[in-house]
Amino acid sequence: MTTAVSERKHLANAIRALSMDAVQQANSGHPGAPMGMADIAEVLWRDYLKHNPANPNWADRDRFVLSNGHGSMLIYSLLHLTGYELNIDDLKNFRQLHSKTPGHPEYGYAPGIETTTGPLGQGISNAVGMALAEKVLAAQFNRPSHDIIDHYTYTFLGDGCLMEGISHEVCSLAGTLGLGKLIAFYDDNGISIDGEVEGWFTDDTAKRFEAYGWHVIRDVDGHDAQAVDQAIQAARGETAKPTLIICKTIIGFGAPNKQGSESCHGAPLGADEIAAARKQLGWNYAAFEVPDDVYQQWSAKDAGAAQENEWNQRFSAYADAHPELAAELKRRLANELPSDFAEHAQAYIEKLQAEPADIASRKASQNAINAFAPELPELLGGSADLAGSNLTLWDGAKGVTAEDASGNYVYYGVREFGMSAIMNGIALHGGLVPYGATFLMFMEYARNAVRMAALMKQQSIFVYTHDSIGLGEDGPTHQPVEQLASLRMTPNMSTWRPCDQVESAVAWKAALERKDGPTALVFSRQGLPQQERNAEQLANVARGGYVLLDSPAAPELILIATGSEVAITMAAAKTLQAQGKQVRVVSLPATDVFDAQPADYREAVLPSSVSKRVAVEAGIADYWYKYVGLNGRIIGMTSFGESAPAGDLFKHFGFTAEHIVAAAEELLAE
């Protein structure tokens, strides 16, 4: 260490050196943000962040989210230096196949990564969800003298995150909900990939966030450790509002010829510039070399172990004082359903089958929530302003507010994208299972957050209603056509489109029991007749596809349908059977679940020997060729919808029993 460099700056320079070395070795990456935010990170991580490298999943740890995820070497350097299981070889493998250090932080790859970031704006959105989860759990579980849930959510974000519209959605709601333990650091360096942002981003960010109801700390020198420290203290002192700390920084700080410009944003600095940066920073060590004394000062192992041990002692006292609450919190943090949930849910499903009702599946969904939610206090529901249409409110729903966060329902407002990303943050935090609703059409607003839920394998439950042209008079802007196929083709997304109240309840049970990914529950606006089933058929609903009506002899034709089209398909099948045709009907509410069944079951339902098949669904037709073959028939949508009453639209687009019969007869005649 040279005398010209302060001790704190020297520690921050370890981040800068590791970041520029890893990017250089990978010949790819973003050195500018890690070098610019290193001083802020040093203060936060060494003086404030509550975490234990030996137990990255400690429940009461602070959460840290790098929303500007392209600066991933910042968090990798921090995790390495503070003692997580991320060694120097992992840093040397930055951006390489199967490494723990991919180009953007990926949840589950390295310990200490709280969420996958990269799509700008979603990190801050996840952070809002984490802070919301902390506030709700604290309100539900803390008791006088027992603040067992008590941690902060910190996030770094840049100009790009603030330009993305989702940041408006979530930061507006964060202010309304008074998320006082959310602290965001805005890297105000004035640079994006295209250069100086003043040509396209001139917002008064401070006023914007003050208007949201945030506590804003302006003009902090992001390279002055004392100024950063004072800002964090002030942020932690404001408990009623989230805080935005606006840090003036220099992108690529320390690279004498490239700092302050876009040239260091998304490309290696180059060997000559790295050598010059080492000289300017006073970092007199070889590539990937960090001296022992720097490691010792960075290590959070002892402090983290002590913090967790102290919390464990407090939790023990909490368990003595409130044993039932402690047991419930442990169950929820372990993401375990109550031991009797499956039995309770199955009894409800059997009751529905025994007591038929012809209702819209969105209403059946609400009934299922009413049946299941009293058993599942971890459910945190919500809707993007359409609760009266989505039917997501239930008898025991209580809104979460800034003043009272002990509720179980979030009024998200018209914020479909923000809602979905916040839900992912809630799921990542743990202790709560989020569900949130909108019309299926407006999944499009939220598409990238839905994808991120699948990518991160999080249990976010997306409730989508008004699922087809059956929406009717609102017309093609509101009528989903291609959305079902989009959801079904998303890896690790489970999608259910039930045909009646029984399949709807089974779908909800499946979503609640699924722990390794999100589920889309797709429900109708219009009423649907309940189908008859025997015990075997009822059991097979959970397999995603099953024979709903079989032919007296070996089938010569198979009709496949989902959702609202099952009823007309059944009517068509009965007409064909009356003509002496051997017709089978398969209800296929969850294609991904069906596709995961053993081959012998799938063959029993859709025997390969029966090549004549017709699929019926009021969604995009092309998806169904995988089930009917290129020579099969598909009664589906090949265009957008129209504005008219639902009954008229179904006739216009061919979703009638008569049209199905005609298509089947034509196919059988070939």
Side-chain angles (χ1 to χ4, degrees), residues 227-343:
V228 173
D229 180 77
Q230 290 173 349
I232 297 173
Q233 289 186 45
R236 288 165 61 101
E238 174 54 77
T239 59
K241 299 178 179 180
T243 296
L244 180 71
I245 302 175
I246 301 177
C247 297
K248 291 289 185 180
T249 65
I250 299 171
I251 190 171
F253 181 92
N257 302 304
K258 294 189 175 183
Q259 68 178 21
S261 76
E262 67 274 16
S263 62
C264 64
H265 173 90
L269 296 178
D272 291 344
E273 185 70 2
I274 288 176
R278 277 185 152 76
K279 183 176 180 181
Q280 177 155 313
L281 295 170
W283 188 259
N284 302 314
Y285 309 102
F288 296 104
E289 180 184 350
V290 178
D292 289 342
D293 66 309
V294 172
Y295 275 125
Q296 289 169 11
Q297 291 181 78
W298 265 110
S299 176
K301 291 180 178 179
D302 291 344
Q307 288 172 325
E308 183 175 359
N309 183 60
E310 186 271 337
W311 183 82
N312 287 336
Q313 293 176 13
R314 288 194 289 115
F315 189 85
S316 179
Y318 174 72
D320 289 341
H322 304 283
E324 292 183 2
L325 279 174
E328 174 67 9
L329 179 58
K330 288 176 70 176
R331 177 188 72 78
R332 286 166 60 171
L333 291 173
N335 199 19
E336 295 176 352
L337 290 169
S339 58
D340 61 349
F341 172 75
E343 181 181 355

Side-chain angles (χ1 to χ4, degrees), residues 175-195:
T176 298
L177 294 176
L179 302 183
K181 288 184 179 175
L182 172 63
I183 299 176
F185 297 81
Y186 166 31
D187 182 27
D188 186 12
N189 61 34
I191 297 293
S192 67
I193 290 177
D194 282 352

